[in-house]
Amino acid sequence: MKKMDRCQNLTSFLDWAQHKLLQAEVASPRLDAEVLMAESLNISRTELMTYPDRVLSRIEAENFCSRIERRVLREPVSHITGVQEFWSLEFSVNEKVLTPRPETEILVEQCLKALARKSSPVRILDLGTGSGILAIVLAKEIPQSQIMAIDKSTLEVARKNALRHAVADQVCFVSADLMQADWQGPYHLIVSNPPYIESENLFKCMPEVRQYEPVQALDGGRDGLDYYRFIVPSAWEKLEDDGLLALEIGHTQAAAVVALMESGSGYQDIQVVQDYSGYDRVVLARKRILNG
Ligand code: GLN
């Protein structure tokens, strides 16, 4: 990609980048250009707005253009900058973990609401922790919690994030396949954002997801429900009586996941919660106390 050689100011670089990203069918070209510019100059986006006429040095211009080239190829902004905001905190990410999505904040909100009145130590299990966001945010928000977080990835990014947010002593990371690991327990809360995309629909995901995100964090099997079929009955075994199971779901999966929870009659107070776009996003249930 060739950027004009003459001395250019910040606004003209942004306009040029916006145009390139628009041509590449990037969903939010101006925003992405601004985020990548701020990162190239090591300043905030607000500062960017304050100096529209600032002239870029050659190095700054090269940094910016190389970032835009990567974005044109639809590499996610989070992979280019190495960070993603979630719950107003900054998390490290890379191509080995799913970049946190804003709708997953609904899952956090629901867990916090359900645990609000609990004062004694809270034991939590996070299945498929990825970048660690669920375990880390819950650890920060519930200082009296102890969390086990399982993921089959190396957990390098998650451990780094836990240190960064000063909760490493509250979270025990276990690198294992959640379908084979010893979950230990019992827990007051089991939470998970498992892979839930139908295998045959993976190719329909946006290029950012399809080409750059780890398929093992997305592929939920033929009907997308493989992990729910495993987690729902297994979690019942590992929950305290009245303990909460909280799962993120794909927006078409609520009925199927609710049916799994109802099938063994091991759960009660089953609830589906929508995200801010109005899509079903979270299913919650409490462990029913059998013969209790
Ligand atoms: N919400 C993610 C997406 O649409 C999928 C996350 C998942 O499978 N857990 O890309």
Side-chain angles (χ1 to χ4, degrees):
M1 184 181 316
K2 209 157 171 12
K3 174 77 190 96
M4 308 71 97
D5 295 328
R6 278 174 298 115
C7 218
Q8 298 279 328
N9 69 17
L10 202 148
T11 305
S12 64
F13 269 97
L14 283 177
D15 291 345
W16 163 82
Q18 180 180 2
H19 178 68
K20 284 280 171 200
L21 296 180
L22 193 67
Q23 280 180 332
E25 296 178 28
V26 166
S28 46
R30 187 73 186 186
L31 173 68
D32 290 7
E34 287 175 5
V35 169
L36 295 172
M37 175 65 87
E39 211 249 339
S40 309
L41 303 184
N42 205 15
I43 59 175
S44 70
R45 253 184 83 218
T46 327
E47 283 174 286
L48 210 64
M49 308 304 162
T50 328
Y51 309 109
D53 300 326
R54 178 179 157 168
V55 174
L56 268 64
S57 72
R58 200 168 58 82
I59 296 285
E60 287 171 340
E62 275 171 18
N63 280 343
F64 179 63
C65 292
S66 71
R67 282 165 174 76
I68 295 299
E69 274 175 45
R70 290 170 68 181
R71 190 68 190 106
V72 162
L73 297 174
R74 306 295 293 269
E75 186 170 349
V77 173
S78 61
H79 288 190
I80 302 173
T81 61
V83 291
Q84 175 68 38
E85 191 182 292
F86 181 82
W87 203 257
S88 302
L89 299 169
E90 194 171 87
F91 288 89
S92 294
V93 295
N94 65 18
E95 68 292 344
K96 294 193 185 119
V97 297
L98 187 79
T99 291
R101 313 285 204 251
E103 57 269 27
T104 302
E105 293 188 0
I106 307 289
L107 183 57
V108 175
E109 275 170 20
Q110 292 300 321
C111 293
L112 293 178
K113 203 166 116 190
L115 293 171
R117 281 187 301 276
K118 219 176 161 336
S119 54
S120 51
V122 179
R123 288 188 304 278
I124 299 173
L125 175 65
D126 173 14
L127 296 167
T129 197
S131 61
I133 50 159
L134 291 172
I136 292 164
V137 171
L138 291 169
K140 272 190 90 77
E141 295 286 339
I142 314 171
Q144 75 278 19
S145 61
Q146 280 296 330
I147 302 171
M148 176 151 135
I150 303 179
D151 200 284
K152 63 179 155 203
S153 72
T154 62
L155 289 163
E156 208 178 304
V157 175
R159 286 201 172 93
K160 184 168 153 189
N161 282 324
L163 284 171
R164 178 174 190 166
H165 294 296
V167 292
D169 57 342
Q170 272 172 272
V171 187
C172 170
F173 289 107
V174 175
S175 178
D177 183 339
L178 72 86
M179 294 203 190
Q180 266 139 39
D182 174 5
W183 292 6
Q184 300 179 22
Y187 296 98
H188 301 101
L189 165 67
I190 296 181
V191 64
S192 184
N193 173 16
Y196 56 64
I197 297 182
E198 298 90 341
S199 304
E200 64 174 31
N201 284 341
L202 284 166
F203 79 97
K204 291 188 194 156
C205 293
M206 295 185 309
E208 284 84 347
V209 179
R210 199 173 69 219
Q211 294 171 11
Y212 292 95
E213 296 220 84
V215 69
Q216 63 275 17
L218 297 162
D219 187 354
R222 199 182 45 79
D223 61 358
L225 299 169
D226 281 3
Y227 283 87
Y228 303 106
R229 271 190 288 269
F230 185 82
I231 290 172
V232 170
S234 312
W236 189 87
E237 303 278 335
K238 300 293 182 180
L239 279 169
E240 296 273 12
D241 288 346
D242 206 35
L244 182 75
L245 175 60
L247 302 172
E248 181 169 323
I249 56 159
H251 67 95
T252 59
Q253 295 170 331
V257 175
V258 168
L260 283 171
M261 288 169 166
E262 284 172 341
S263 70
S265 27
Y267 290 96
Q268 60 192 5
D269 302 336
I270 302 170
Q271 200 192 336
V272 178
V273 182
Q274 283 79 40
D275 61 23
Y276 293 121
S277 311
Y279 291 118
D280 291 341
R281 189 57 63 197
V282 167
V283 182
L284 305 159
R286 290 206 173 264
K287 176 172 173 168
R288 188 196 296 269
I289 309 155
L290 298 180
N291 322 310

